[in-house]
Amino acid sequence: ERIRHNMIYPGNYHFILDDTELCRSIHPYLVLIVPVAPGNWKARDAIRRTWGNETHIQGELIQTVFLLGVPNSGNIKVLQRNVRTENRLYHDLIQSDFIDSYHNLTIKTMVIMDWLASRCPMVPYAMKIDSDMFLNVENLVSMLKTPGTPTTIYITGRLKNESPVVREKDSQWYVSEDSYREKEFPTYAVGMGYIFSLDMPRRLVEISKRVTPFYVEDAYIGVCMKTLGIDFTPPPERNHFRLYMFEFNRCQLAKSICAILKTPAQLVSYWTLLKGPGPAC
Ligand SMILES: *[C@@H]1O[C@H](CO)[C@@H](O)[C@H](O)[C@H]1NC(C)=O
Ligand SMILES: *[C@@H]1O[C@H](CO)[C@@H](O)[C@H](O)[C@H]1NC(C)=O
């Protein structure tokens, strides 16, 4: 259950698909990077049709890319062929050669950090955002452009304080005492979506060499931050980062930055409703 220490170090993995123009010839203000399973093309499709297609906001360029590992179940050959075909169409898939699985999400996050640090160091901001999320890009850009928002040493999101470490072995959030000894995690940003300045990925990749890995990726980033001695920045409004929204609420979506949804179809439907006519909030 304990991940071998070098296993999360992203330098141990290789990109097998990485032909996006992002940060080679395109230099955005904000990169949205989405960890997603190779077979989950439905989520990618919904994102491309909704917030992933919001590329010009308040005079700034926004770009969305997806980060995948390699499949280890199902028809692997077919899945891989489909991933390549999809990428030939959109050139927005980045694939690394670690095995894509729930228990490898910490590896995925560190590979995301490694990709950003090596490919996009000059970009001001990035957001790691899960594939089941609604995102209000306009509100996100407004928050980033608010005077006083830090331009370096900055991570924000829905912060969780004093979260107890789960010691029940059958829980999906189980962390052994070998991996993390304290009873509570330090403050961290809930993994559904957090935003950071582009100096952070390099710092996190470096410090991860000294922080014992465990599976809960967002709490792991919290432990890395504590080890770095850097505090998370609270968002202007905690409610801008909503956990769940399983019924359409126009005014909440209009005022939020992000919210967790259930299905790709729900994302497309909420998006269409929100962009359509309706009362001002
Ligand atoms: C993205 O938006 C453009 C311009 O509004 C539109 O023409 C295009 O069809 C959209 N792409 C997708 C995948 O929905
Ligand atoms: C995580 O990825 C590594 C590298 O590909 C692999 O060796 C390991 O089996 C994976 N672990 C799980 C739980 O999938």
Side-chain angles (χ1 to χ4, degrees):
E1 24 90 34
R2 182 172 167 210
I3 319 180
R4 269 184 296 118
H5 200 273
N6 65 0
M7 192 180 252
I8 65 146
Y9 188 64
N12 293 329
Y13 302 104
H14 306 95
F15 294 105
I16 55 176
L17 208 61
D18 183 15
D19 70 348
T20 165
E21 280 305 306
L22 189 54
C23 304
R24 288 192 178 109
S25 58
I26 301 176
H27 304 283
Y29 171 73
L30 167 67
V31 173
L32 306 172
I33 186 159
V34 187
V36 61
N40 198 359
W41 60 269
K42 283 186 180 162
R44 294 190 288 273
D45 198 49
I47 290 168
R48 289 190 191 103
R49 288 164 62 190
T50 57
W51 48 264
N53 199 25
E54 300 259 279
T55 50
H56 294 84
I57 301 281
Q58 297 175 33
E60 304 291 358
L61 181 64
I62 326 291
Q63 292 281 295
T64 300
V65 285
F66 301 93
L67 196 298
L68 295 57
V70 292
N72 74 333
S73 63
N75 193 330
I76 293 170
K77 267 195 182 153
V78 172
L79 280 168
Q80 266 309 96
R81 199 188 312 132
N82 292 347
V83 162
R84 286 177 182 279
T85 307
E86 184 180 330
N87 186 59
R88 270 198 297 276
L89 213 51
Y90 300 106
H91 297 286
D92 60 0
L93 303 184
I94 298 154
Q95 190 177 33
S96 171
D97 64 358
F98 67 90
I99 288 177
D100 198 299
S101 66
Y102 186 81
H103 275 134
N104 270 348
L105 285 183
T106 301
I107 298 179
K108 211 171 200 174
T109 294
M110 296 318 292
V111 167
I112 282 176
M113 294 301 169
D114 180 44
W115 190 86
L116 287 170
S118 58
R119 305 303 199 274
C120 297
M122 303 308 281
V123 164
Y125 296 106
M127 178 178 197
K128 190 225 88 158
I129 174 163
D130 285 346
S131 63
D132 57 353
M133 297 293 292
F134 168 90
L135 177 66
N136 189 321
V137 191
E138 187 83 47
N139 290 351
L140 170 55
V141 172
S142 295
M143 178 185 79
L144 293 174
K145 291 177 75 110
T146 300
T149 300
T151 54
T152 58
I153 317 188
Y154 174 63
I155 303 193
T156 193
R158 187 183 174 101
L159 304 189
K160 213 167 166 183
N161 302 312
E162 296 164 9
S163 169
V165 181
V166 176
R167 302 291 189 199
E168 282 80 43
K169 287 211 165 110
D170 47 4
S171 163
Q172 67 170 326
W173 292 290
Y174 168 69
V175 171
S176 71
E177 298 199 9
D178 275 357
S179 302
Y180 187 70
R181 202 160 312 149
E182 313 294 322
K183 288 194 169 64
E184 289 175 350
F185 287 122
T187 298
Y188 64 91
V190 180
M192 61 181 187
Y194 46 86
I195 298 125
F196 42 92
S197 54
L198 249 293
D199 55 318
M200 290 311 300
R202 169 71 58 217
R203 292 178 207 271
L204 291 166
V205 168
E206 280 305 309
I207 202 75
S208 75
K209 292 178 190 165
R210 298 205 276 119
V211 181
T212 307
F214 52 84
Y215 296 131
V216 186
E217 65 90 17
D218 46 9
Y220 181 74
I221 294 291
V223 179
C224 287
M225 290 287 282
K226 187 167 182 207
T227 311
L228 282 166
I230 301 177
D231 289 333
F232 286 84
T233 304
E237 274 192 56
R238 180 179 166 83
N239 256 350
H240 285 172
F241 294 80
R242 298 195 163 267
L243 291 180
Y244 295 98
M245 188 178 291
F246 292 156
E247 269 175 39
F248 178 73
N249 184 322
R250 183 181 190 85
C251 289
Q252 277 185 7
L253 287 181
K255 288 175 185 157
S256 298
I257 288 178
C258 60
I260 304 177
L261 306 179
K262 261 186 189 152
T263 63
Q266 196 178 38
L267 170 56
V268 175
S269 132
Y270 283 18
W271 191 266
T272 311
L273 287 168
L274 184 65
K275 298 280 161 174
C281 294

